[in-house]
């Protein structure tokens, strides 16, 4: 069973924050980041997809408002 090193959660949180700032359309998910096993990976994938849908929805509503 994989084990994360001490401080793993903090490093992943920082990496995600920096990635979100630099490349908001890039999401990370998988056993290397937050929980291993199929259920955890599926949950992470769903969370990543939800974030992207929110981002694209916000971008669409912003650009639609500018077409007038």
């Amino acid at each position: 069973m994989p084990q994360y090193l001490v401080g793993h959660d903090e490093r992943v949180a920082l990496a995600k924050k920096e990635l979100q700032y630099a490349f908001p359309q890039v999401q990370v998910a998988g056993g290397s980041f937050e929980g291993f096993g199929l259920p955890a990976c599926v949950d992470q994938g769903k969370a990543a997809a939800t974030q992207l849908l929110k981002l694209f929805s916000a971008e669409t509503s912003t650009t639609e408002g500018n077409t007038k």
Side-chain angles (χ1 to χ4, degrees):
M1 175 179 291
Q3 293 184 1
Y4 300 124
L5 298 175
V6 173
H8 174 80
D9 292 338
E10 292 82 9
R11 286 190 301 276
V12 169
L14 178 61
K16 283 186 169 189
K17 181 179 177 182
E18 290 178 355
L19 186 62
Q20 179 68 28
Y21 177 76
F23 305 101
Q25 296 174 336
V26 175
Q27 301 289 312
V28 295
S32 299
F33 303 103
E34 297 179 50
F36 44 87
L38 189 56
C41 291
V42 169
D43 290 342
Q44 291 175 59
K46 287 180 179 179
T50 299
Q51 286 298 108
L52 288 174
L53 288 172
K54 287 180 185 177
L55 177 67
F56 293 144
S57 176
E59 286 180 1
T60 301
S61 65
T62 301
T63 57
E64 287 177 356
N66 292 334
T67 58
K68 293 180 181 179

